[in-house]
């Protein structure tokens, strides 16, 4: 599992995880490489992104998605509309 997406998780699930207590990260439309040193769980409040793991297929995600990026994943982020997300590193 490199990237796992839960589309439109329930409010109950978000509360269970404590999502609204996590830090917020914002970024404008851009494209950049990224490597995850540790697992990241995030919940998108706004925006759309295409994340392409090195040597893998592009994965689309955005507003309302709960996403887990496995530790060790190297990828390219392409933000197509400005992003705002809660995030948490394990």
């Amino acid at each position: 599992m490199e990237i796992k997406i839960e589309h439109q998780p329930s409010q109950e699930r978000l509360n269970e995880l404590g999502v609204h207590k996590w830090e917020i990260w914002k970024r404008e439309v851009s494209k950049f490489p990224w490597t995850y040193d540790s697992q990241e769980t995030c919940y998108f409040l706004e925006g759309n992104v295409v994340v392409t793991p090195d040597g893998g297929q592009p994965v689309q995600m955005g507003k309302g998605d709960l996403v887990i990026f496995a530790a060790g994943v190297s990828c390219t982020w392409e933000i197509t509309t400005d992003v705002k997300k809660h995030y948490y590193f394990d």
Side-chain angles (χ1 to χ4, degrees):
M1 182 243 15
E2 285 197 329
I3 300 172
K4 181 182 171 191
I5 301 178
E6 266 184 65
H7 298 289
Q8 310 299 318
S10 67
Q11 195 58 53
E12 189 177 86
R13 169 101 167 106
L14 297 176
N15 291 343
E16 207 174 87
L17 292 169
V19 165
H20 300 292
K21 295 176 187 157
W22 299 350
E23 297 286 327
I24 285 186
W25 182 83
K26 296 178 186 179
R27 184 83 184 244
E28 65 287 341
V29 171
S30 54
K31 188 174 182 173
F32 55 92
W34 190 256
T35 298
Y36 290 88
D37 296 328
S38 55
Q39 178 177 290
E40 179 189 353
T41 304
C42 63
Y43 178 68
F44 285 86
L45 297 168
E46 297 173 9
N48 286 295
V49 182
V50 177
V51 177
T52 307
D54 292 359
Q57 295 299 308
V59 181
Q60 207 155 12
M61 60 196 72
K63 184 177 179 178
D65 289 338
L66 181 69
V67 185
I68 299 172
F69 295 94
V73 171
S74 288
C75 55
T76 300
W77 272 62
E78 185 172 357
I79 298 174
T80 55
T81 56
D82 294 2
V83 161
K84 181 178 178 184
K85 66 175 184 161
H86 284 288
Y87 70 95
Y88 174 80
F89 285 100
D90 289 333

